[in-house]
Amino acid sequence: MPVPLSELNAQLNDLLQPAQFDDYCPNGMQVEGAGTVRTLISGVTASRALINSAIDASADALLVHHGYFWRGESQPIIGMKKERIKLLLENEISLFAYHLPLDFHAELGNNAQLGKHMGARLESLIGKPGELPLVAVGELEQPTSAADFSQILTSVLKRPPLWLPGDSRPVRKLGWCTGAAQNYFETAIDSGVDAFVTGEVSEPSAHLARESGVHFFAAGHHATERYGVMAVGEFLAQKLDIEHRFINIDNPV
């Protein structure tokens, strides 16, 4: 049964609490489509390929982690941005985007869901002084060698991570933060982890791994951020009795 668009909007905002976050983009409904929703499509990024897939699936609404209108980007709706928004409006597809709220949610968020897939028990959240604590810290259900843990990530994420070895220590205590969180590597090191998992990597990461002995795994920005939006979509489908499907538009980054 279709539900009012306003009901889907209210449920998402109640679940993810976007007003609590000072983010880099507006969180919530970014483009308004049809007044009712029967089919919800979720994905990581509101690319043109994902929008076209949503159109093919007869979607009424699209839920993503990476939407539009980022702080500091060019504001005119021209070029690629115009083409994307035009497709949404012509097909009356509403766009919902949640960035930090989706990372942070304690049960359905990106970090929480990635931890479950890796077999890690979340124990605490840490961050840099004065910032939101976005780095998850916990222990693996079964301690393992770094080489074996790299294989676990490959199996879970369906892609091999870039492993920057530390020393010979096994992985017991793990830190992780989905997406582009390589700048939190030192924060994770200071918390006493044996390994840190994030999506992307920077040049200093290799030196930090070698000199601290803590293993660093860059497992893919897109790959590490698939599971939160998927979990939220499934939650809404069950609660509102609507159809939901996650569409993966593969991205090597």
Side-chain angles (χ1 to χ4, degrees), residues 56-174:
D56 291 341
S58 300
D60 306 297
L62 183 58
L63 172 65
V64 299
H65 182 46
H66 302 137
Y68 305 149
F69 313 115
W70 296 90
R71 184 187 304 165
E73 76 173 17
S74 177
Q75 294 185 6
I77 301 176
I78 59 177
M80 287 186 291
K81 184 189 294 185
K82 175 247 186 179
E83 292 302 322
R84 292 171 173 180
I85 294 175
K86 179 183 178 183
L87 282 172
L88 291 169
L89 292 174
E90 285 181 343
N91 291 277
E92 293 195 283
I93 298 174
S94 298
L95 174 66
F96 292 88
Y98 293 87
H99 185 234
L100 290 181
L102 190 59
D103 288 322
F104 197 70
H105 194 274
E107 181 182 355
L108 303 176
N110 284 325
N111 277 338
Q113 290 295 311
L114 180 61
K116 290 180 180 179
H117 281 78
M118 294 189 300
R121 297 186 296 271
L122 176 61
E123 297 177 349
S124 62
L125 292 170
I126 61 174
K128 297 179 181 180
E131 294 186 6
L132 193 68
L134 286 172
V135 178
V137 177
E139 291 195 357
L140 292 178
E141 294 172 0
Q142 293 186 341
T144 184
S145 70
D148 285 346
F149 182 67
S150 182
Q151 290 303 310
I152 290 171
L153 286 176
T154 300
S155 176
V156 167
L157 300 175
K158 312 304 180 189
R159 55 163 288 165
L162 173 63
W163 170 27
L164 303 178
D167 53 26
S168 60
R169 72 182 71 184
V171 180
R172 293 186 179 90
K173 188 174 182 181
L174 182 67

Side-chain angles (χ1 to χ4, degrees), residues 4-13 16 18 25-37 60-64 67-69 88-89 92-99:
L5 178 64
S6 58
E7 176 65 12
L8 176 61
N9 187 41
Q11 289 288 342
L12 275 165
N13 288 333
L16 298 175
C25 60
N27 289 297
M29 184 161 52
Q30 293 187 340
V31 177
E32 183 178 355
T36 58
V37 177
D60 306 297
L62 183 58
L63 172 65
V64 299
Y68 305 149
F69 313 115
L88 291 169
L89 292 174
E92 293 195 283
I93 298 174
S94 298
L95 174 66
F96 292 88
Y98 293 87
H99 185 234

Side-chain angles (χ1 to χ4, degrees), residues 185-223:
F185 188 21
E186 284 188 89
T187 301
I189 291 170
D190 292 342
S191 73
V193 301
D194 302 309
F196 180 64
V197 178
T198 188
E200 298 187 25
V201 63
S202 296
E203 192 273 344
S205 304
H207 305 293
L208 288 170
R210 294 167 186 162
E211 294 174 30
S212 68
V214 176
H215 306 284
F216 180 97
F217 294 92
H221 192 134
H222 174 88

